[in-house]
Amino acid sequence: MTVSGPARPGAPDRAGLARDLTRLLGDGKVLSTLGERLNYRYDAIQFGATPLAVVLPESTADVVAAVRAARQAGVPIVGRGAASGLSGGAAPAQEGLVISFTRMTRLHIDPLRREARAQPGVVTLQVSEAARPHGLVYPPDPASFRTSTIGGNLGENAGGPMCFKYGVSGDYVKALEFVDADGEVHRLTRDAYDLAGLLIGSEGTLGLVTEATLRLTTPARYTRTLMSHFAEVGQAAEAVSAAIAGGAVPSKLEFMDRACVNAVEDYLQIGLPREAGAVLVVDTDGDDLETVEHELELVEQACMRACGTVRRAADEADSAALWRARRSVSPALGRIRPQRMNEDIVVPRSVLPDVVREIERLGQASGLHMVQFGHIGDGNLHPNILFDPRQDSPEAVHQLAHEVARVAIRYGGVLSGEHGIGSMKVAFMQEAVDPTTLAALWDVKRALDPGMALNPGKVLPQPEASDA
Amino acid sequence: MNNDIAAQHPDAQGQLMAHAVDACVHCGFCLPACPTYTLLGDEMDSPRGRIVLMKSVLEGELPLLDAAPHLDRCLGCLGCVTACPSGVPYGELISGFRGWAEPQRRRPVIQRLTRSAVLTMLPRPALFRAGATVGKYAKPLAPLLPQALRAPLDLLPSAVQPAQPLPAFTPAHGPKRGRVAFLEGCAQQVLTPNFNAATVRVLSRNGIEVVVPPGQGCCGAAAMHTGARPLALQQARRNLDAFDPAGVDAILSNAAGCGAGLKEYPMLLAGEPEEGQARRLASKVQDISVYLAELSAAGGLEPFMPTTRPLRVAYHDACHLAHAQGVKAEPRALIRSIPGVELLDIPEGDLCCGSAGTYNIEQPDLAGRLGDRKARNVLSVRPDIVVSGNVGCHTQLQSHLTRLGSPVRVMHTIELLDLAYRGEL
Ligand SMILES: Cc1cc2nc3c(=O)[nH]c(=O)nc-3n(C[C@H](O)[C@H](O)[C@H](O)COP(=O)(O)OP(=O)(O)OC[C@H]3O[C@@H](n4cnc5c(N)ncnc54)[C@H](O)[C@@H]3O)c2cc1C
Ligand code: SF4
Ligand code: SF4
């Protein structure tokens, strides 16, 4: 048997899949025409195989029925949220069934327990909006938070600027309901074996999340923002290391290089310093104004020592504009070249200056257009290669991405901070993870999804030996 | 997004479409801004999905018929353009696409008839007025008619107001501060004749000379957006002849859709001999609110009378102002400058009200759901008056608020200003 093969041997009825699903679920929830299916082959970075059918479930029972029908037909299953993923996670590697959660949008806030119960299709921002009237917030804030779904966030264990101080999506999960590859429903809390933790970040390869109970917190009373710009990327990284070593715990600490700043300025026109080699945007927050100001002061001094020019946000609107700028980086890069390969490395903070400089050199030497930004407080960098497939060779792009991955590994870092491995980086995993660990990961996969039906071709590289 | 559209469609429209598809990085940031995605929750009815569908059709990968239902549901509201950080000119894509696709479509007879009736009547106020009068008598028969005929009937006003023709020239009141040409619009002359009368009064009061060039006609937006490109071209050429951008400070429109339509002439006429002329005209086009806001900044407006009691005024962003023309701040600033008025923003303000030109006729179900949602959002801020800058929104708001039994008054921004000048607010 090949690992990526269909769920069940026998005589799979692929053609009848859509028909069976429609019989089980009714007409409005099943998509079967080519025009409908074509649109479920991509995520934000990659086009994959056109699915045989698409289901838009409205309840856990619908998901169960769909999983069983796919099993019956012997086809793989790909879960899909808003398809804003940047590693090809939701783009099917093979023909099969796509289960798109965008209509499972029930959300319930329990202010007393400080929790939100969300179906997977709930858009991230909506959790915070629904919590706000109760004086609560949901901190995980990927730049895609207006679009991406809770299911997708958990699939990728998404993080955002807030994750430096407040953690990533997975840190806010109290309980999960999921449907396994057999169509059985499970409800997990985080006691005993942290199976929920295993599912979070597994990119839909171990189970399909159908409901999550999320922890809400109270927002910090005070927030202060500053922006600092530097002549060169290494200086910005030095300031980051120094500020944190000096005792500051910023709530957000973000970095963008010159090309990013210019792309955003083209889009928003809010007067960003186009000439700067690198820019940091920093928030400190807390309930005690004095501490918040003091921490900002620490950051400010670190920036100035690294030869940065500092501007404090005048008011809330000013700070909102700066953060909007940072959030717009990734999509605004589309203005430079139509396509991009997105890296998502994490390296120890102590080596940041060397890493950003080395990556910048790699980019310059390659002749391709490479830019960098990221949640630098965490050591999470997004070097992006922007390219035009009509002019640039895909091999060169891939090779440069691989070089970047190697820099991360060489400096003791990892391949993915938040966007996942997906299909984009699956090949790099072979080098990043030792064979024993990889074998253990495969064991987990086999235990939970023995038929290899869930999102095949993602996360785990085909091991040469262990698949026999 | 990779494509080889230009290779198969080498004309100017093909280039525009190829460029738009190219610019899309399929990040999905536009999804929550799209009214149809919000209602239906599927990818084909999202901006990103529609871009992929159009690309697939233009590249010959997908039959037009397979894509058509989803493309037909697009309101053309351009909420996606505002939301898109990559600067994808979606409007150019969908207009170009509809212009290319329409001649190849075979629509059912009733659809063909209503389409051509709408496109014939809308631009001709006299005809529209006559139609409306007939419609008034036909309305009681509505329940007996098939849905396809009932929808256009719903759109007609139940009372036809007397015409208020504009003089070809209105002098400035007091010292002259400027001179503008004014586009009368077509349907709104019949539906809401007071918009134009109020516009001329407010301009004149502020020292502006208003010329209403004879020979002008429909801006062509309705034709362009429904894919009737030859008709749109004909209507655009007529206006290019009628308006002389050199002689005036600005060419003003008080209907968001028409203003946007004029601004789209360079796109419509790309590759045509009049392209340069279209650019010159478009560069002079302004919405009435922008012109007044600039006038206010440069020396002030005549003072308004305070309202007789505190008034809560909700401002509804017409898509063709907010998204197509990027005008959001100016009307708000004007409304706020009336003493005694409190300005309110409407929740989900960026979501289209469902009016969108002929959408009520072609997609009555979705249009109705959006209209209902908008009306409920309006009511949630408890306004006395709701104001917008477009006749389509006006009609839609009016009909859905009425249906919900609400007494909230619906006005055009310029009517509010006009009433404030007259002390009648
Ligand atoms: C411009 C831009 C900026 C971004 N910024 C950030 C950022 O700052 N931080 C960050 O972490 N990410 C970021 N992302 C990446 C992406 O938005 C996140 O990974 C997000 O969490 C994906 O959510 P989604 O709903 O779009 O999921 P999808 O892309 O649809 O799916 C992602 C993965 O989750 C799986 N999945 C989806 N739903 C379920 C489910 N119910 N059960 C099990 N598996 C499921 C899919 O199979 C897939 O493997 C960005 C993306 C874009 C385009
Ligand atoms: S936001 Fe713009 S770039 Fe992103 S998918 Fe939508 S149209 Fe494409
Ligand atoms: S124009 Fe409006 S309806 Fe059409 S895709 Fe864009 S946002 Fe959606």
Side-chain angles (χ1 to χ4, degrees):
Chain A
M1 180 187 123
T2 57
V3 215
S4 54
R8 251 190 181 179
D13 180 15
R14 298 154 70 92
L17 179 62
R19 199 184 51 232
D20 285 353
L21 286 165
T22 309
R23 186 169 41 78
L24 288 167
L25 298 168
D27 207 10
K29 298 178 190 167
V30 182
L31 306 179
S32 59
T33 69
L34 181 61
E36 293 167 337
R37 291 181 289 122
L38 268 185
N39 273 336
Y40 286 86
R41 72 194 144 141
Y42 53 77
D43 71 354
I45 203 89
Q46 192 146 315
F47 278 73
T50 303
L52 296 165
V54 180
V55 167
L56 298 163
E58 284 163 20
S59 64
T60 302
D62 287 349
V63 179
V64 167
V67 168
R68 295 204 169 135
R71 228 180 106 83
Q72 198 69 37
V75 303
I77 299 164
V78 181
R80 189 184 198 265
S84 71
L86 289 173
S87 56
Q94 309 164 14
E95 281 191 333
L97 176 68
V98 167
I99 301 184
S100 170
F101 290 99
T102 46
R103 287 186 188 163
M104 283 180 72
T105 52
R106 226 179 18 247
L107 173 64
H108 173 76
I109 304 286
D110 187 335
L112 287 180
R113 301 169 71 125
R114 292 196 174 180
E115 62 185 38
R117 233 179 33 248
Q119 282 189 312
V122 171
V123 170
T124 316
L125 171 67
Q126 277 163 3
V127 180
S128 270
E129 298 225 309
R132 194 182 307 137
H134 305 286
L136 298 168
V137 286
Y138 176 64
D141 61 341
S144 53
F145 76 134
R146 287 175 193 282
T147 303
S148 61
T149 65
I150 291 297
N153 289 172
L154 298 183
E156 304 287 6
N157 201 5
M162 295 277 260
C163 68
F164 177 58
K165 185 168 175 181
Y166 293 100
V168 291
S169 303
D171 297 323
Y172 289 84
V173 174
K174 289 174 128 179
L176 278 187
E177 178 190 89
F178 83 100
V179 173
D180 71 13
D182 286 335
E184 299 293 331
V185 181
H186 304 263
R187 293 191 181 81
L188 307 169
T189 54
R190 309 205 65 167
D191 324 321
Y193 295 151
D194 186 9
L195 189 51
L198 198 56
L199 245 77
I200 295 162
S202 70
E203 307 183 32
T205 62
L206 301 179
L208 297 166
V209 174
T210 45
E211 189 179 281
T213 307
L214 306 168
R215 187 161 60 85
L216 304 173
T217 64
T218 46
R221 197 119 53 96
Y222 303 99
T223 304
R224 292 289 179 268
T225 304
L226 72 73
M227 187 173 84
S228 178
H229 57 274
F230 302 84
E232 180 257 327
V233 286
Q235 290 171 341
E238 276 161 16
V240 169
S241 305
I244 295 169
V249 187
S251 54
K252 303 181 187 171
L253 212 171
E254 296 287 309
F255 151 77
M256 35 192 178
D257 75 359
R258 186 196 315 256
C260 297
V261 169
N262 279 285
V264 173
E265 185 59 15
D266 286 344
Y267 165 43
L268 295 177
Q269 282 143 25
I270 52 171
L272 297 174
R274 285 184 180 276
E275 66 296 341
V279 166
L280 292 179
V281 189
V282 186
D283 265 9
T284 57
D285 75 359
D287 290 340
D288 173 38
L289 186 55
E290 216 170 303
T291 316
V292 177
E293 300 265 11
H294 173 68
E295 287 199 49
L296 198 72
E297 189 82 34
L298 286 177
V299 178
E300 186 171 75
Q301 281 161 12
C303 289
M304 289 190 328
R305 273 198 306 276
C307 306
T309 313
V310 174
R311 171 161 97 75
R312 289 189 180 214
D315 51 26
E316 248 173 69
D318 196 11
S319 130
L322 292 178
W323 283 111
R324 179 145 180 259
R326 168 60 188 91
R327 282 191 189 290
S328 306
V329 166
S330 173
L333 291 174
R335 290 174 179 248
I336 299 177
R337 292 281 191 286
Q339 292 212 355
R340 66 190 177 119
M341 172 103 180
N342 170 66
E343 275 292 352
D344 175 30
I345 58 174
V346 185
V347 297
R349 255 188 318 264
S350 54
V351 298
L352 271 173
D354 298 329
V355 170
V356 290
R357 286 190 181 117
E358 190 157 333
I359 289 175
E360 188 166 86
R361 270 197 303 277
L362 272 177
Q364 281 159 0
S366 72
L368 288 163
H369 205 302
M370 184 148 81
V371 307
Q372 303 190 65
F373 59 95
H375 318 304
I376 197 166
D378 275 352
N380 186 186
L381 296 172
H382 297 310
N384 270 230
I385 307 161
L386 311 176
F387 63 102
D388 184 340
R390 283 165 307 200
Q391 289 155 25
D392 307 310
S393 105
E395 291 77 41
V397 171
H398 199 76
Q399 198 178 341
L400 180 56
H402 208 152
E403 286 302 325
V404 170
R406 289 198 176 110
V407 174
I409 298 168
R410 198 158 63 238
Y411 281 94
V414 297
L415 288 185
S416 169
E418 55 186 19
H419 296 168
I421 303 294
S423 49
M424 297 269 295
K425 280 177 282 189
V426 80
F428 309 159
M429 279 288 275
Q430 210 78 259
E431 286 163 64
V433 183
D434 65 84
T436 323
T437 309
L438 203 53
L441 296 182
W442 270 113
D443 287 343
V444 170
K445 168 76 176 167
R446 281 196 202 92
L448 284 164
D449 179 21
M452 302 292 157
L454 295 175
N455 213 356
K458 310 295 166 65
V459 185
L460 296 180
Q462 297 291 347
E464 283 94 39
S466 59
D467 124 63
Chain B
M1 199 184 302
N2 251 352
N3 72 83
D4 60 354
I5 296 170
Q8 299 181 43
H9 306 270
D11 61 348
Q13 296 296 317
Q15 307 275 340
L16 286 178
M17 291 190 281
H19 165 70
V21 173
D22 226 12
C24 174
V25 296
H26 45 111
C27 63
F29 270 40
C30 51
L31 301 190
C34 177
T36 55
Y37 179 76
T38 305
L39 290 184
L40 303 170
D42 64 50
E43 185 75 26
M44 310 79 69
D45 294 301
S46 80
R48 175 176 63 177
R50 291 190 173 112
I51 292 172
V52 172
L53 286 176
M54 286 187 266
K55 164 189 143 80
S56 306
V57 173
L58 290 169
E59 289 180 338
E61 191 191 349
L62 183 72
L64 174 59
L65 261 184
D66 273 23
H70 308 295
L71 300 177
D72 287 352
R73 280 183 208 133
C74 171
L75 295 128
C77 69
L78 305 190
C80 49
V81 172
T82 306
C84 172
S86 301
V88 173
Y90 176 88
E92 300 187 359
L93 177 60
I94 187 87
S95 291
F97 187 91
R98 285 181 170 162
W100 169 80
E102 197 52 37
Q104 311 172 39
R105 304 259 315 251
R106 278 209 207 123
R107 291 178 181 274
V109 179
I110 290 194
Q111 231 184 60
R112 252 191 353 252
L113 284 177
T114 43
R115 279 189 151 232
S116 74
V118 167
L119 289 182
T120 319
M121 264 173 52
L122 271 187
R124 295 186 179 77
L127 206 57
F128 188 36
R129 180 173 295 279
T133 313
V134 175
K136 192 172 72 175
Y137 296 109
K139 272 196 173 213
L141 303 175
L144 307 174
L145 297 173
Q147 172 67 40
L149 291 178
R150 226 182 308 150
L153 215 53
D154 280 348
L155 209 63
L156 292 172
S158 37
V160 188
Q161 299 178 40
Q164 300 185 30
L166 291 183
F169 177 79
T170 307
H173 192 85
K176 177 179 153 187
R177 294 177 70 189
R179 175 183 168 89
V180 299
F182 182 64
L183 176 85
E184 290 184 284
C186 27
Q188 82 169 20
Q189 288 182 48
V190 180
L191 293 172
T192 52
N194 188 47
F195 289 8
N196 284 354
T199 302
V200 172
R201 280 196 293 270
V202 170
L203 284 169
S204 159
R205 183 181 202 112
N206 280 289
I208 307 300
E209 249 168 42
V210 186
V211 187
V212 181
Q216 62 169 292
C218 174
C219 66
M224 175 162 43
H225 295 150
T226 48
R229 189 172 144 78
L231 178 61
L233 277 170
Q234 187 193 327
Q235 291 172 331
R237 290 195 168 110
R238 179 177 166 166
N239 282 327
L240 286 177
D241 285 343
F243 285 91
D244 172 19
V248 292
D249 310 327
I251 297 171
L252 296 188
S253 161
N254 62 9
C258 308
L262 293 180
K263 287 183 176 177
E264 281 175 335
Y265 280 3
M267 180 240 305
L268 175 67
L269 291 144
E272 304 289 327
E274 301 90 344
E275 195 178 336
Q277 203 186 344
R279 280 185 201 292
R280 282 190 295 281
L281 177 125
S283 69
K284 276 278 168 80
V285 174
Q286 277 187 333
D287 183 70
I288 177 72
S289 65
V290 176
Y291 187 78
L292 287 175
E294 283 179 5
L295 207 61
S296 166
L301 294 180
E302 288 292 301
F304 296 105
M305 308 269 273
T307 60
T308 48
R309 62 187 172 95
L311 274 185
R312 295 170 64 83
V313 175
Y315 179 71
H316 161 70
D317 281 296
C319 294
H320 280 86
L321 261 189
H323 303 308
Q325 304 189 50
V327 174
K328 295 184 85 162
E330 292 86 347
R332 289 182 166 81
L334 289 170
I335 295 168
R336 238 190 253 111
S337 69
I338 302 171
V341 162
E342 184 192 350
L343 177 71
L344 310 164
D345 270 324
I346 299 167
E348 297 191 317
D350 281 335
L351 223 51
C352 178
C353 66
S355 163
T358 54
Y359 203 76
N360 263 312
I361 301 175
E362 311 218 332
Q363 303 283 344
D365 170 48
L366 290 176
R369 282 162 73 185
L370 287 168
D372 180 68
R373 188 162 171 148
K374 183 60 76 182
R376 288 177 196 276
N377 274 324
V378 167
L379 293 177
S380 76
V381 297
R382 293 175 293 105
D384 300 304
I385 301 176
V386 54
V387 160
S388 88
N390 195 44
V391 56
C393 310
H394 185 94
T395 318
Q396 179 84 340
L397 285 168
Q398 186 79 72
S399 90
H400 283 274
L401 286 169
T402 310
R403 194 180 41 77
L404 292 175
S406 156
V408 169
R409 289 171 75 189
V410 187
M411 279 184 203
H412 191 290
T413 316
I414 200 76
E415 289 185 304
L416 189 79
L417 302 182
D418 184 43
L419 288 180
Y421 275 131
R422 304 207 254 162
E424 290 172 21
L425 264 187

